[in-house]
Amino acid sequence: MAMTLRLPDDLDAKLAERAERAGRSKQALVIEAIRDAEARAELHVHDILAELTETESEILDHLK
């Protein structure tokens, strides 16, 4: 799906510079950044759930 992304001038300049250095398009870098952010967010949720399961196992056992 097509989308227009309006960036502040400073971020657009940084993105253009990074794209030039990497030999990639700005679009490819933005897509990669969104995918990376989503993966980090998902990992964070899994880490929290794992920690809660470990630290609150007695309470969780009681709730079963």
Side-chain angles (χ1 to χ4, degrees), residues 2-33:
M3 179 180 143
T4 299
L5 178 64
R6 295 185 194 336
L7 296 173
D9 290 341
D10 62 323
L11 289 180
D12 186 56
K14 288 178 183 180
L15 180 59
E17 184 179 308
R18 183 174 295 225
E20 179 69 29
R21 282 194 319 262
R24 299 175 66 198
S25 69
K26 293 191 303 184
Q27 177 180 331
L29 293 178
V30 169
I31 290 170
E32 181 180 11

Side-chain angles (χ1 to χ4, degrees), residues 35-47:
R35 287 185 174 146
D36 288 349
E38 179 61 26
R40 282 191 313 274
E42 191 168 309
L43 285 175
H44 185 66
V45 169
H46 290 299
D47 291 343

Side-chain angles (χ1 to χ4, degrees), residues 43-57:
L43 285 175
H44 185 66
V45 169
H46 290 299
D47 291 343
I48 290 170
L49 289 175
E51 184 177 329
L52 284 173
T53 301
E54 184 178 310
T55 60
E56 306 299 337
S57 62

